[in-house]
Structure formats: C-alpha cells, structure tokens
Amino acid sequence: MHDENEAILYVGKAIDLHNRVRQYFRAGHGHNNSPKIAKMVSQIAYFEYIITASEMEALVLECNLIKEHRPKYNTLMTDDKGYPYIKITINDAFPRIVRSHRMGRDKSMYFGPFTDKKAVKETISLIKKVFNIRNCERDLGNGPYNDRPCLYYQIGECPAPCAGHITAEDYMKNIDRAIDFLNGNTKDIVNELKEKMRSYAEALEFEKAAKTRDLIDNISKISEKQRAQNTSSEDRDIIALARNESDAVISIFFVRDGTLLGRENHHMSFEDDNYENSFFENNTIESDIDSEIITEFIKQYYTGTPFIPKEILTLVPVNEETLITEYLSDRKKQAVHIIQPQRGEKKGLIKLAEDNAKLVLAQDIERIKRQEKRTTGACQEIADIIGLNTKITVDSAFRMEAFDISNTAGYHSVASMVVFENGKPKRNAYRKFRLKTVEGPNDYASMKEVLSRRYTNDSLGRLPDVIMMDGGKGQVHIAEMVIDSLGLDIPVCGMVKDDNHRTRGLYYKDQEVAFPKGSEAMHMITALQDETHRFAITYHKQLRNEGQTHSILDDIEGIGPARRKALLLHFKDIDAIKNASIEELTAVNGMNIKAAEAVHNFFN
C-alpha cells in the first residue's frame, strides 16, 4: 500500500488478495474499529501487487520487503544485535581459534551463537592456553618453517608451528581436544589438569602447579556461567514481550544443549493513536496484538540469523504458525516447533523472559530509542538532506565512506578511508593507501589516485551509498570527476567546517547545506570527520616513525642491514660514502664488487 508520495505504508500477503484488501474498506468490519487502520486507509493512494508461486515464497518476500522498506504501519523490529561465534579454521594446516561475528559459508567449524561476548573472549583465551593453540594470524600452510619462535612460545603458550617445533598431526590432536571441550566435555580436561597439578606439586614445581590450578578454576567459572538448570538437551529460544501504547520490548533467551547462553532485548515499534479506546477493551484483542508483534519478530529475526533452534517457546500463540514452522524447518533442515507452554519448567522460562522484558521496557526503552535516533535516525537525516529516496533502517546497511590525505613531511603521501554503516564505525572496513603515482603534497592528484584505486577494487567491500570528502568544493569536484569517469552513480558530499574548525554543514551539488543546530546528523558527521582525521593521523605517525629509522642506503639494491651498518662504521657518514670510489667501497667488510658498483652508481 502506497501513499501519494509513493512511500510504502504497509506490506501484507494473502492467498486471496481481493478478500484481504476489501476488509480494510468494508463498513462495520473489525478493521474499522482501529484508529491505526483507519488512518492508514485514509492515506492509501494505490496498491502494488507481486505474484508468487507459493505461500512459502510469499512469506519470505513479505519478510524481505518489510526489512527493506520499514513501512510505517507494519510492526517493526527496530534494532538488530549481532552475537559472536567461536570459529575454528579446521581446513588450515595449523588451525586457529578465533571469534567471528557471523557464520560464514566456508569450511571452518563454528560454535555458538553466544550472547556473552566477554565469556567468548575468556573461553578462546583459555582454550589457547590449555590446549596449546597458536595465537598468530600467519599463513602456515606452505612450510618448511624456519622462523624464530615468538614470545608466546617462550612462555609456553604456543607450540611454535612456525618454527617446525610441532608436526601438523600433533597440532591437530590439540585442536581435536579443544573441539571436544567446546562440545561440552570439560570433565576429562579438568581431570587431566588436576593430575598435572599433582605431578607439579610432587616435583616441587609450585609455580606450574599454581598456573594449572588457575586454569582449572577458569574452566569451572566459564562452565558455571553458561550452565542453566535444564533437564533437556534441546536447543531452544524463549520469547516474551512487554509493551505500552507505542513500543514493545521482546526478550529472547537462548538455551543451547541445556545451557542458558544469555539473552537479547529487541525494540519493536507499532502505531496506535488511541491506546485507551475501545480497540483495547477486551483481552481477546489485546492478545491479538501481542500475537501480531511476536509473529512479526519471529519472521524478521529468524530470516536474518544463521542459527535456528529446534524449539521456540512463546508467550502467546503465533499467527500463521504452520507456515512459519514449515519455513524455519526448511531453513534448518530438520523439524522446528513453536510452543506456548502452560505449566512446568518451560512456563517458568517464559515467565523469566516476560519479567525481563517488563524491566527493560520500564528502564531502558528511552535509551534504546535514543541510540536508534543517534544512528539510523541520523542516517535518515543525511539521506533527506541530500535527497536520497530511501528509508534508512538498521538492516539497510546505509554506508558512508570518508577519505583524507596526509603528507609525512614530503617523504610519504598517504590516504585513509573510514567507513560508517548505520551511523556507526565499521572498523574492519577501514583502509590505508600509500600513494604510488603522486610525489609531494598534491592533495587533488592524491585523491584522484585513491578514489580510482578504491572504486576499481571489488575486494574493498560494497560500494557506499554516499561518499564524504574531508573538504569543500575542490575535493568534491575531484571525487565527482573520478566517480563519473568510472561510470558510477554515488552522491559526493564535502564535510565543511567553520572558522572554529567545527563541522557546520555539507557541500553538495555546488551548494552548502547547513545542519539544524544540535541535530543528530551534525553530531554523526562530526564524529565521522573526527574519526577520518584520527585514522589518517595514526597512519601518518606510523610511517613517520618508520621513516626515522630509514636510511637512504636502504634504497640501494643489494644493500641490506649488514652492509649498511658496515658502510656507516667504515666511512662514518653518508657524505663520505657518496664520495668514495669503487675501490674504497670494496675495501669495506662484506662488500663485493657488485655491491660497491651499486652504491657508487646510486650516488653518481
């Protein structure tokens, strides 16, 4: 359903669309008792229809359209929290154990999801210590390994596969034990560590015994932290809600293999102009609203998460339960059940989730809404300012890329790229560029090179929705020329500062657009500009520090650290080396005729 400005008001599906739509306009029908529906109907200008091959396809399409367009009169999930996994790169010759924010489609092994990020960090650290797993990120698949072991090897926390101190077969035994531990078999590990502790104590190696004791304590703490009193080993999510006239909080608790891993709270918004009127007079309609909210949450949440439990416990019945469970079962490749428990332990878990939702609604809803306003709300302001015809949501990944050029005393010209998505820094997408074709402080030429390299390299991530330049008219025009030459259509804005070096507006389409004073958009662009400067200066300092130990002799082919040192010890300074003959150069320890000629030709 569209309004006169073509904005989408509502997305819905039905086997018989004629009957479904007609209900909104029939006099005396139940829909007309709702001020929300009456207001929506008054704004409808036209309908758009999409035909699908099955009811299942219609369900998936409805979920995707609601996520993409965020219609005002649909029940919406307005936040989207990620949760980490423990990833084992099992296909590597010497696998690593790391934290991952998503379950990738690769050959790695994943455990989770976990909602306690701190517990995940502690668990990974513990596993590396207990099972002697490497910490570094190096590619060790090419061997042979003749590197010098790092500090982790010296302190006994890495077997040093980089130096060939452990075979791949023996290392995989450590990995297998770590996998066994993550699968819940902590008893054998604890017994083994206790035996080690006794052995160390008997040998009077009390420091090692104490260290082993601490490892045992850490395992116990992590196991207890994630253990719930639950006789079932099924994976299940427990979903309940609390709401007022315009907001609802969904609390979802995660139980995995009998272990309560944690919880998440999500804010859902819905429109109703008269919460106290007859639309809410009876409990049946109240329950229908709760069912609608939880149904929309389940559809939106589980179409975006890689893990689906076998069992979902809900406070109230779910609309279209058969269709939704069929869809979830198809995604999981095994049966999924949605249950409303009436008694016993499961009912107690629902009560726990409901109490939690009520607490969050009472205490945290304003904080959640403020955070949303500072992020997706600010992005929407920016989109409105530059005329992007889009509805910004946490699921839309509204992406801005900002660039800055920095010169290190004329020795290096470098650039940095900072990325914000949905109003928040996306640091793993930041990039640094060392200029290849530009010498000296030429910001315009440097920006042209950097933008060309960025937007012809698909490996640097998806294209942005907006490009932000740290500067005004000149920088913007350079960027627009590059974008046009590449055949791209991306808006380019300049982040303009006032005389006090404070962000005051955007330069867009040859005009400066001022921000409303104190607007969230201004705060976000200020943060983006500050982050761009910070990242560029950090890279600038890094290269400057490297340059402080750089010698002009390093630029001569065939002159390494040893020959550089020998030349400086022999001649005392660079000027003497410049004026030395080939014969004088060959007299230096370690210098052959080829190296001497290279030095002489470099300076002459």
Side-chain angles (χ1 to χ4, degrees):
M1 300 178 182
H2 293 259
D3 66 12
E4 60 183 7
N5 297 318
E6 300 191 356
I8 297 177
L9 298 171
Y10 183 80
V11 173
K13 62 168 179 53
I15 295 175
D16 189 331
L17 280 176
H18 178 271
N19 288 341
R20 171 74 187 278
V21 173
R22 185 175 58 177
Q23 292 173 356
Y24 291 99
F25 300 93
R26 290 173 60 188
H29 193 273
H31 278 309
N32 291 328
N33 293 330
S34 165
K36 165 188 172 183
I37 299 300
K39 186 174 180 180
M40 180 188 76
V41 170
S42 70
Q43 298 176 45
I44 296 173
Y46 68 95
F47 299 94
E48 179 181 359
Y49 304 100
I50 300 175
I51 308 301
T52 63
S54 67
E55 195 174 0
M56 178 72 73
E57 285 187 15
L59 172 69
V60 175
L61 180 60
E62 180 191 34
C63 293
N64 289 337
L65 289 173
I66 290 173
K67 278 194 166 189
E68 179 180 356
H69 298 290
R70 315 298 284 186
K72 180 178 180 179
Y73 291 96
N74 283 95
T75 301
L76 302 176
M77 183 171 71
T78 58
D79 63 340
D80 184 14
K81 299 178 181 178
Y83 35 84
Y85 295 79
I86 294 177
K87 173 182 176 180
I88 302 180
T89 58
I90 201 71
N91 234 38
D92 293 348
F94 295 92
R96 298 168 54 231
I97 299 180
V98 296
R99 185 174 71 173
S100 175
H101 291 290
R102 62 183 180 85
M103 182 183 289
R105 295 187 176 182
D106 52 26
K107 296 182 180 180
S108 298
M109 183 177 290
Y110 291 85
F111 294 85
F114 303 97
T115 59
D116 189 337
K117 296 180 181 180
K118 184 178 179 183
V120 170
K121 186 176 180 180
E122 291 175 355
T123 301
I124 292 174
S125 177
L126 174 67
I127 288 172
K128 288 179 177 179
K129 291 178 182 178
V130 172
F131 303 109
N132 220 13
I133 307 298
R134 69 187 180 102
N135 279 279
C136 67
E137 301 179 5
R138 302 182 63 183
D139 181 4
L140 301 181
N142 298 319
Y145 315 106
N146 52 12
D147 293 356
R148 181 180 178 183
C150 67
L151 183 61
Y152 284 107
Y153 173 76
Q154 305 297 335
I155 63 176
E157 292 187 8
C158 178
C162 60
H165 288 201
I166 186 172
T167 64
E169 292 74 18
D170 288 340
Y171 186 86
M172 282 305 299
K173 291 178 183 177
N174 294 350
I175 291 291
D176 289 340
R177 294 173 69 222
I179 292 171
D180 198 30
F181 173 81
L182 287 168
N183 281 325
N185 183 14
T186 60
K187 185 177 179 181
D188 292 344
I189 302 301
V190 169
N191 289 338
E192 181 182 328
L193 289 174
K194 285 181 178 178
E195 186 59 38
K196 272 189 178 181
M197 183 175 66
R198 282 191 288 269
S199 299
Y200 288 139
E202 290 172 1
L204 304 182
E205 296 182 271
F206 299 116
E207 187 176 340
K208 290 183 178 179
K211 188 176 181 180
T212 307
R213 177 203 61 206
D214 292 341
L215 289 177
I216 294 170
D217 289 344
N218 286 335
I219 290 174
S220 300
K221 287 177 184 176
I222 289 173
S223 299
E224 289 169 6
K225 183 184 294 185
Q226 300 184 12
R227 184 67 56 189
Q229 295 300 318
N230 194 320
T231 56
S232 170
S233 62
E234 294 290 317
D235 295 333
R236 62 166 61 112
D237 288 353
I238 302 100
I239 301 175
L241 89 160
R243 63 179 172 85
N244 56 26
E245 64 274 14
S246 61
D247 296 288
V249 169
I250 296 281
S251 277
I252 176 169
F253 282 73
F254 307 101
V255 175
R256 301 290 180 262
D257 196 24
T259 299
L260 180 63
L261 296 182
R263 70 178 186 198
E264 286 183 1
N265 297 306
H266 292 267
H267 171 220
M268 305 282 288
S269 66
F270 61 95
E271 290 285 327
D272 196 275
D273 294 335
N274 194 356
Y275 182 67
E276 302 296 337
N277 73 2
S278 59
F279 185 51
F280 289 95
E281 281 179 358
N282 62 72
N283 291 332
T284 301
I285 296 179
E286 284 274 9
S287 178
D288 288 346
I289 296 171
D290 292 347
S291 292
E292 178 192 348
I293 293 171
I294 286 186
T295 299
E296 291 302 319
F297 173 79
I298 288 175
K299 290 195 292 186
Q300 294 176 51
Y301 183 80
Y302 290 108
T303 54
T305 179
F307 183 84
I308 298 172
K310 292 181 180 179
E311 200 171 77
I312 299 173
L313 308 184
T314 61
L315 180 68
V316 293
V318 173
N319 301 333
E320 307 172 299
E321 183 175 320
T322 301
L323 179 61
I324 291 173
T325 53
E326 181 185 346
Y327 168 67
L328 296 179
S329 299
D330 183 63
R331 280 199 64 206
K332 188 175 177 62
K333 307 303 181 187
Q334 64 183 100
V336 174
H337 304 283
I338 299 177
I339 303 168
Q340 295 80 48
Q342 302 302 315
R343 64 182 65 86
E345 178 191 13
K346 293 180 180 180
K347 181 66 174 177
L349 290 171
I350 285 286
K351 182 65 168 60
L352 175 67
E354 185 180 16
D355 290 344
N356 176 77
K358 290 177 179 177
L359 182 65
V360 172
L361 183 65
Q363 296 182 349
D364 293 344
I365 190 66
E366 290 305 318
R367 177 186 57 80
I368 293 172
K369 291 165 72 174
R370 284 196 302 271
Q371 177 63 28
E372 179 189 331
K373 186 179 179 182
R374 285 194 295 266
T375 54
T376 55
C379 287
Q380 187 64 60
E381 284 186 47
I382 299 299
D384 293 341
I385 286 173
I386 63 177
L388 282 183
N389 186 21
T390 184
K391 182 73 173 175
I392 307 302
T393 72
V394 290
D395 297 311
S396 64
F398 184 85
R399 180 177 173 119
M400 291 183 286
E401 294 183 357
F403 297 84
D404 191 18
I405 300 293
S406 183
N407 297 290
T408 58
Y411 186 76
H412 287 298
S413 289
V414 299
S416 61
M417 180 183 86
V418 165
V419 179
F420 270 34
E421 282 194 358
N422 290 326
K424 294 178 286 189
K426 187 178 176 64
R427 290 187 172 84
N428 63 351
Y430 289 12
R431 292 295 183 269
K432 303 171 183 175
F433 300 87
R434 188 178 296 202
L435 278 298
K436 298 178 179 179
T437 63
V438 180
E439 294 184 5
N442 188 332
D443 283 1
Y444 287 176
S446 298
M447 191 58 69
K448 184 176 181 179
E449 178 189 330
V450 169
L451 292 175
S452 299
R453 287 167 57 186
R454 159 61 182 109
Y455 296 117
T456 56
N457 189 341
D458 294 336
S459 67
L460 295 181
R462 63 177 287 266
L463 294 176
D465 300 292
V466 179
I467 297 172
M468 292 289 180
M469 306 302 298
D470 185 40
K473 182 177 180 179
Q475 293 280 23
V476 170
H477 284 176
I478 287 291
E480 288 174 339
M481 288 170 54
V482 174
I483 296 303
D484 290 343
S485 70
L486 296 174
L488 300 175
D489 183 18
I490 305 173
V492 181
C493 298
M495 298 182 287
V496 183
K497 291 193 174 185
D498 60 21
D499 294 337
N500 296 317
H501 213 62
R502 292 177 297 198
T503 305
R504 73 182 184 202
L506 293 176
Y507 184 83
Y508 181 61
K509 290 188 175 178
D510 292 326
Q511 291 184 345
E512 185 176 322
V513 183
F515 293 120
K517 190 173 181 179
S519 70
E520 296 297 344
M522 184 183 74
H523 293 319
M524 189 186 69
I525 292 299
T526 300
L528 174 62
Q529 197 166 27
D530 290 345
E531 179 70 353
T532 304
H533 282 303
R534 182 203 63 79
F535 190 57
I537 290 170
T538 300
Y539 190 32
H540 177 261
K541 287 181 178 178
Q542 174 190 336
L543 292 179
R544 191 170 65 234
N545 291 337
E546 291 175 1
Q548 288 174 351
T549 60
H550 179 85
S551 168
I552 195 171
L553 298 176
D554 293 325
D555 297 332
I556 304 174
E557 186 176 354
I559 303 302
R563 282 176 173 162
R564 179 188 65 187
K565 183 178 180 180
L567 285 167
L568 290 171
L569 286 173
H570 184 87
F571 291 103
K572 307 303 181 186
D573 59 44
I574 292 293
D575 288 337
I577 297 173
K578 287 181 180 179
N579 297 322
S581 65
I582 293 178
E583 291 76 15
E584 289 172 326
L585 291 168
T586 54
V588 177
N589 185 34
M591 292 287 291
N592 55 29
I593 186 65
K594 184 177 179 181
E597 289 176 346
V599 174
H600 186 267
N601 293 337
F602 181 84
F603 289 117
N604 296 278

